[in-house]
Amino acid sequence: MDFQLDEQSRRMAEIGKGLAGVLAQGAADADEQRRIPEGNFAALRSAGLYGAGLPTGLGGLGVRSAAWLATVEQLAQGDASTALGFNMHYVATRLVGELPSFDAAAKKHVASLVIDDGALISAPLSEPSSSSLLPGSFLPTMTATRTADGGLRVSGTKMYASIWEASDYAFMFARPDWIDDPALVIAFLLPVAQPGHIEVADVWDTLGMRATRSNQVRIDGAHVPAELVLGPIDDFVNNWIVAQAAVSWGGYTGCYLGLVEAMVAWLVENLGTRKAKGYAQPMGYHPTISSAVGRLSTHVEAARLMMYHAAWRADTAGPGLGTCHAYLQAKLMLADAIGRVVELGTTAGGLNALMRPRGYERMLRDVTTAAIMPPNAYASAEMAGLITMGLDPARAPSLATA
């Protein structure tokens, strides 16, 4: 098997690497102030990345799974919060461009908003009562009613609406009140500037990923114009959680991989060069430290190879249970690798690693959210186990819905 990145992936990785230095400049201040670093998104826009997820036929870059993971892997080494937030823009635009059930005219309109107008799209997909231990609980609770102009009137609450306050539109789902099937949802772009109908509750005061400002959003009778109604998705569990694994949550793996790689790079630089007082050699020569670095770097490299294998499968075989399985295993492996870095690396790094100005401490806080991001480590293990045994995940108690 050839483990080299293809030409597009290498090119996108270089773009991401070049931008990482820009993103890093304000990362500490944005984290401290719980502020979305809007200048970072302007830099991403200037680099042409807003159209990364859109197909070339709609004027986008047509960046596929492996190439996108190569991009966010680099971006996250500059600022993980920006990478994670911008990944949701990629999710929204790629799904808009690809899903066959979406209206062709609406796709062109969204592409124009992104390419021509530079619109930033958030994608708040978590529900107030959702848990990735219960994937079926991600079924949308928002409701949609048709309006006379062919649009929608939507109401409900969304949790963890990353970069909402910096975005122009939100990619969302709601249950149409004119259809009885609870597993069928309608997708749309919601214009976020609707005072009186949309309220942001500032609840995002967290341990890590503070600059995503993933606040709660309450929506009451907000309007969706007809040209932003995208179309239906039926059988939500299979056609979203399983079929869209590479797009809807695969990017999380790339973001957190880049972040943990940056942590390893910090440890390598500091432990491989710093000398204890009275000693001639760097601390890295101590067998406990060299053993720790050897173990954690091996775990991270294993996670990296599994992630790119999953992306390669998505790009060659397309969506399906096998691709979903590969992403579940990659995300689970990454969670285990992060655990090793947190345990071994932080101990080896010592108190210097916990000094906030040194930079490692912020990455340590950010990376603690990795195992929790949907599907969390427990859910990934459960579903990977079911698929390995040839069992139907949709029939598992944690996936079944009333």
Side-chain angles (χ1 to χ4, degrees):
M1 180 178 290
D2 184 2
F3 287 102
Q4 300 300 312
L5 297 177
D6 61 19
E7 182 180 350
Q8 184 190 55
S9 300
R10 290 195 299 270
R11 185 171 65 251
M12 293 301 298
E14 283 301 312
I15 293 172
K17 185 176 181 179
L19 286 164
V22 177
L23 306 187
Q25 293 174 13
D29 285 343
D31 169 76
E32 183 71 27
Q33 300 168 26
R34 297 192 303 118
R35 170 180 53 81
I36 297 173
E38 296 192 28
N40 286 354
F41 291 96
L44 296 171
R45 183 188 297 113
S46 297
L49 291 189
Y50 272 35
L54 290 167
T56 55
L58 290 176
L61 301 181
V63 172
R64 308 296 296 165
S65 297
W68 180 245
L69 293 182
T71 309
V72 293
E73 180 187 0
Q74 296 298 324
L75 294 177
Q77 295 183 51
D79 180 23
S81 288
T82 298
L84 197 68
F86 191 60
N87 176 69
M88 302 315 294
H89 173 90
Y90 173 83
V91 168
T93 52
R94 183 165 170 188
L95 291 173
V96 166
E98 286 189 0
L99 289 185
S101 61
F102 287 177
D103 180 75
K107 291 182 180 184
K108 291 181 180 179
H109 182 61
V110 172
S112 176
L113 292 174
V114 172
I115 302 296
D116 300 331
D117 299 344
L120 180 63
I121 303 174
S122 58
L125 302 175
S126 296
E127 301 298 322
S129 59
S130 65
S131 165
S132 61
L133 287 173
L134 303 167
S137 67
F138 278 81
L139 274 165
T141 57
M142 287 190 62
T143 57
T145 301
R146 286 173 170 153
T147 58
D149 63 357
L152 302 173
R153 189 69 65 185
V154 297
S155 297
T157 300
K158 301 300 293 188
M159 297 296 294
Y160 316 130
S162 301
I163 70 167
W164 178 284
E165 292 146 299
S167 64
D168 302 290
Y169 300 91
F171 175 78
M172 303 176 74
F173 304 124
R175 290 184 175 183
D177 68 356
W178 61 92
I179 295 175
D180 292 332
D181 184 357
L184 185 145
V185 302
I186 191 86
F188 52 89
L189 285 196
L190 176 69
V192 303
Q194 298 194 50
H197 295 284
I198 297 176
E199 176 189 2
V200 177
D202 186 4
V203 297
W204 191 250
D205 192 1
T206 53
L207 177 67
M209 290 294 181
R210 291 162 60 82
T212 63
R213 281 192 66 82
S214 303
N215 282 310
Q216 183 188 82
V217 177
R218 301 162 185 161
I219 302 164
D220 184 12
H223 183 240
V224 179
E227 62 270 20
L228 294 180
V229 179
L230 297 168
I233 297 178
D234 62 3
D235 191 5
F236 190 75
V237 169
N238 282 313
N239 288 333
W240 176 254
I241 294 174
V242 174
Q244 298 305 324
V247 182
S248 62
W249 47 265
Y252 296 153
T253 311
C255 290
Y256 284 107
L257 175 70
L259 176 55
V260 78
E261 285 174 338
M263 294 173 72
V264 172
W266 190 98
L267 292 164
V268 167
E269 171 64 22
N270 283 270
L271 298 174
T273 59
R274 185 159 58 90
K275 296 178 183 178
K277 186 176 181 179
Y279 287 80
Q281 292 179 307
M283 296 178 66
Y285 277 106
H286 192 288
T288 300
I289 290 178
S290 60
S291 176
V293 172
R295 287 178 180 276
L296 61 89
S297 62
T298 300
H299 276 80
V300 171
E301 180 61 14
R304 184 176 188 275
L305 293 175
M306 290 185 71
M307 182 190 79
Y308 279 107
H309 172 263
W312 168 80
R313 184 172 183 120
D315 287 341
T316 56
L321 202 58
T323 296
C324 181
H325 192 205
Y327 271 99
L328 290 166
Q329 290 180 315
K331 193 169 187 300
L332 181 59
M333 183 65 193
L334 179 62
D336 289 346
I338 288 170
R340 298 297 279 175
V341 173
V342 170
E343 174 196 0
L344 297 175
T346 306
T347 304
L351 283 175
N352 271 282
L354 300 183
M355 299 294 185
R356 298 190 73 182
R358 300 295 303 277
Y360 183 91
E361 182 267 353
R362 174 172 49 81
M363 294 189 289
L364 178 63
R365 286 188 289 107
D366 283 347
V367 86
T368 57
T369 61
I372 302 170
M373 288 294 284
N376 76 22
Y378 290 125
S380 293
E382 177 194 357
M383 289 193 285
L386 290 168
I387 297 171
T388 298
M389 292 185 288
L391 302 176
D392 181 4
R395 298 182 64 186
S398 67
L399 282 161
T401 56

